[in-house]
Amino acid sequence: RYDFSSYTHTLLAGLLAARNGHPASARDVLGKTRAMSLDGAYPEREALWRALEAELALIDGSTDEAALAAMAQALAASPFLQAQVTR
């Protein structure tokens, strides 16, 4: 049996990497967790993945206010998402 919480832990580590000057490691996490995070089975994991995606976009300077507003609205809709720790 596989422990799917490891994806959550990996995504949190990716967020820490992005925020601590290691965007290459964060991009690696983003790529390796994409399929499992966006499969629709766990909204919490997708929210963390989207948070990491947004964090990297901010680092790259390739995001806009509309994208950030959409993410904020998605997070506000569910105050219990684990992605709330990324705010």
Side-chain angles (χ1 to χ4, degrees):
R1 189 171 157 201
Y2 188 76
D3 178 11
F4 290 104
S5 68
S6 63
Y7 281 92
T8 300
H9 300 144
T10 302
L11 287 163
L12 288 169
L15 285 163
L16 288 172
R19 291 180 179 178
N20 287 284
H22 301 283
S25 295
R27 280 186 187 85
D28 190 41
V29 167
L30 195 70
K32 290 180 178 177
T33 58
R34 179 182 177 85
M36 190 61 91
S37 297
L38 303 181
D39 67 0
Y42 297 95
E44 297 86 359
R45 194 165 51 220
E46 180 177 348
L48 279 173
W49 194 91
R50 297 280 181 208
L52 178 54
E53 180 183 47
E55 195 79 29
L56 288 169
L58 285 170
I59 289 169
D60 295 340
S62 62
T63 192
D64 58 26
E65 292 302 316
L68 293 175
M71 174 168 274
Q73 183 177 13
L75 288 174
S78 183
F80 301 108
L81 289 177
Q82 289 179 352
Q84 294 291 0
V85 300
T86 66
R87 295 181 113 190

